[in-house]
Amino acid sequence: MAAEYNKFSPYYETGTFGPFLDIMVNRPIPKNPLDVEYKIDAVYRYRPDMLAADLYGHSSLWWVFAARNPNVIKDPIFDFFPGQTIYIPNKQTLVAALGI
Amino acid sequence: MASWFNEIVNTAAGTVVGAANQLTSFLNPGMARLRAAGLNPGGGRVLGGLLDRANVNYSNSITKDIAKDWRVRVSSNSEALPYSGVMSPLGLTQGVIFPYTPQIAVTHQANYTPQKFTHSNYPAFSYENSEVQSIQITADFTVQNGNEAAYLLACIYFFRSSTKMFFGSGDKVGNPPPLVFLDGYGSHYFPHVPCLVTQFSHTMPADVDYLETNAQLSQDAVAGAINQTPLTSKYVQNAQRALQVGVGDGSGGGGGNNGNSSTRIPTVSQITISLQPVYSKKVIADNFSLERFSQGGLIDKGFL
C-alpha cells in the first residue's frame, strides 16, 4: 500500500503505483517581490527543517527553500550552508501555492 | 511639545515591546534564532516594508578597502587630476575601475645586438638594454542607466585629461601631462605602477543605442561633494545623491534636460589605452636592485 503524502510534502503531487513513487512531480514555489533575501546563518547549517519550523511552524516544509532557489540550492540539505544567499518564500505565497 | 512627547511615548513603548520580545525570545528558541538572523516569522518583511534583505552584506565597491581591492584601477594624484566636476563619479572608486575584466598585455623586453662574425656559425649577442613596453589595456563598457553613463563619461574625461599638458592658465602651467597609477590583481602584479598615458581611444559604435546624460547638471550637483578623502559614508551618500540628480534617465527622445549640457553615451563601447611605465632616475638609482626585485622586494616602488 502506497504511503500518502500530505500537502506539506514535496511528494504530494507525485503519483504512486503500488508501493512505489512515480516520477517526481515538482512543486514549484513562485517568486514574490516581497520575498526576503537571506544569507544563511551558521545556526541553520544543513538545517532547512529548523528554519522552516522557525519561520512557518512546520519543519516538513524544509524543501521549500530548495524549490524557491533552484539555481542556488541543488542539494536541499548540503547546499544549505552558512554564507549561501537565498530567498525566503513568504508564508502567504506558500499557503497559496501549496494549499496548506 | 508634540515632538518630544511623541519621542518619549515612542521610547517608552519601544522599551515595553523590547522587553516583551526578549521574554518571547527567551521562551521560544525559534524566535530567538529568527531574531538573530534578522528574519520575521512567516518570512515577511518588517512593518513598513523597509527590510528587503535580512542579513545580506553585498560587496560594496565604494566602501571597500582599496588596498585590498584586486580589481584593475587606473588612478591619479588627486592634486594633479582631482575627481571633481564631470570626473566626480571617479571619486567613488578612487580612479577608473573597469566594469568588466579588461584585456591587458604587458611586454617585458631585453634588447641584444647580434654581432655576426665572418665565417662563424652563430652570432654573438651584446646586451643593450631592457624595457617594459607600454601596457595595452582594452576594456569594454556598457551603459544601462544614468549612473553608468556618468561614470563612463568621467572615465573618458580622465583619460582625455591624462594625455594633455598643463597649458594656458592655472597654477600648474608648464607641467607635462599628469602621471597615472596602475593597480590590480593584488600586490605583486600591478603594484601601483607609475605610468604615462601615451594613447587613449574610445570607440563609438554605429550599431548601438546611445543613452543621454546631463553632464552639466552633474557638475553643478556634485561640486564640492566628491573630492573628499578619506572615504566616509557621508561622502559616499553625497556622491551617490549627486549622481542620481546629475544624470538624465535617457528616456527622452531628441531633447535633453538641458539642451546645451546633455551628452549621449553609447550603451556598448570599448576603451583602449596605452600606459607606459615610467620611473625617475633617482628612484631607480637609489632603489633598484635585481636581487631584491627578483625576490619581490621592490613592489612598494612600483617596479615591473
Side-chain angles (χ1 to χ4, degrees):
Chain A
M1 180 177 177
E4 293 184 0
Y5 295 96
N6 61 27
K7 293 182 177 179
F8 291 91
S9 170
Y11 307 114
Y12 180 70
E13 306 281 350
T14 304
T16 59
F17 56 96
F20 305 108
L21 274 170
D22 204 341
I23 295 174
M24 185 172 181
V25 176
N26 285 326
R27 306 184 71 188
I29 306 297
K31 295 178 181 177
N32 186 326
L34 296 178
D35 288 346
V36 171
E37 203 173 6
Y38 170 58
K39 189 159 72 175
I40 298 171
D41 285 293
V43 69
Y44 292 118
R45 177 195 298 266
Y46 307 145
R47 293 300 303 275
D49 58 325
M50 192 161 74
L51 180 58
D54 292 346
L55 284 173
Y56 313 121
H58 294 280
S59 61
S60 49
L61 291 173
W62 56 272
W63 55 275
V64 299
F65 306 111
R68 173 62 180 82
N69 303 273
N71 57 336
V72 175
I73 301 179
K74 308 293 183 190
D75 186 316
I77 306 299
F78 292 104
D79 285 343
F80 207 84
F81 52 80
Q84 184 82 279
T85 302
I86 63 172
Y87 284 98
I88 299 291
N90 195 294
K91 189 172 185 178
Q92 282 73 32
T93 303
L94 295 183
V95 170
L98 306 179
I100 54 179
Chain B
M1 290 292 287
S3 60
W4 66 259
F5 177 77
N6 289 338
E7 186 175 345
I8 290 176
V9 170
N10 290 335
T11 304
T15 305
V16 173
V17 172
N21 286 339
Q22 287 184 358
L23 181 61
T24 306
S25 300
F26 176 72
L27 297 175
N28 185 350
M31 182 64 74
R33 286 192 294 268
L34 286 183
R35 283 172 56 81
L39 292 170
N40 291 313
R45 300 183 179 205
V46 295
L47 290 176
L50 295 177
L51 179 67
D52 59 356
R53 54 183 67 91
N55 58 351
V56 176
N57 294 316
Y58 287 102
S59 172
N60 190 336
S61 62
I62 296 172
T63 57
K64 184 180 282 187
D65 184 359
I66 289 177
K68 296 177 182 176
D69 194 354
W70 61 268
R71 294 175 299 179
V72 178
R73 170 184 283 107
V74 181
S75 57
S76 77
N77 185 326
S78 60
E79 292 183 5
L81 210 56
Y83 303 129
S84 59
V86 72
M87 285 204 297
S88 57
L90 301 183
L92 294 170
T93 50
Q94 292 295 287
V96 173
I97 293 284
F98 300 106
Y100 303 100
T101 305
Q103 179 175 329
I104 302 178
V106 187
T107 304
H108 302 261
Q109 183 164 328
N111 298 313
Y112 294 85
T113 301
Q115 304 291 337
K116 298 178 181 179
F117 301 111
T118 305
H119 293 181
S120 65
N121 290 323
Y122 303 101
F125 287 88
S126 305
Y127 175 72
E128 278 189 3
N129 55 30
S130 298
E131 62 179 321
V132 182
Q133 294 187 340
S134 63
I135 300 169
Q136 307 293 326
I137 300 179
T138 305
D140 294 324
F141 279 81
T142 58
V143 171
Q144 299 183 72
N145 53 47
N147 286 354
E148 293 175 357
Y151 193 85
L152 176 54
L153 190 61
C155 295
I156 292 170
Y157 265 85
F158 177 84
F159 290 118
R160 280 182 183 176
S161 306
S162 301
T163 58
K164 291 177 172 53
M165 71 168 293
F166 294 90
F167 182 82
S169 61
D171 299 336
K172 308 181 186 70
V173 169
N175 284 296
L179 277 178
V180 299
F181 297 93
L182 178 63
D183 296 86
Y185 302 123
S187 59
H188 282 71
Y189 205 95
F190 293 128
H192 204 60
V193 183
C195 296
L196 304 170
V197 181
T198 56
Q199 186 185 8
F200 160 65
S201 65
H202 177 227
T203 59
M204 306 283 277
D207 55 350
V208 302
D209 294 330
Y210 280 67
L211 195 87
E212 187 172 318
T213 177
N214 193 327
Q216 184 59 49
L217 184 56
S218 177
Q219 291 180 39
D220 295 340
V222 303
I226 302 297
N227 190 23
Q228 301 174 23
T229 54
L231 294 174
T232 64
S233 59
K234 181 181 178 184
Y235 150 67
V236 170
Q237 289 169 2
N238 285 342
Q240 287 177 324
R241 186 167 57 246
L243 281 175
Q244 290 166 2
V245 170
V247 294
D249 58 5
S251 59
N257 296 332
N258 184 334
N260 294 327
S261 61
S262 61
T263 304
R264 287 187 175 269
I265 298 295
T267 51
V268 179
S269 59
Q270 193 174 63
I271 276 181
T272 305
I273 54 176
S274 297
L275 302 178
Q276 178 61 58
V278 60
Y279 309 96
S280 71
K281 291 180 179 178
K282 178 173 174 55
V283 168
I284 296 172
D286 292 347
N287 299 288
F288 190 82
S289 154
L290 184 57
E291 290 79 10
R292 289 184 59 203
F293 177 81
S294 62
Q295 294 163 8
L298 293 178
I299 56 170
D300 58 330
K301 305 298 179 186
F303 284 114
L304 284 184

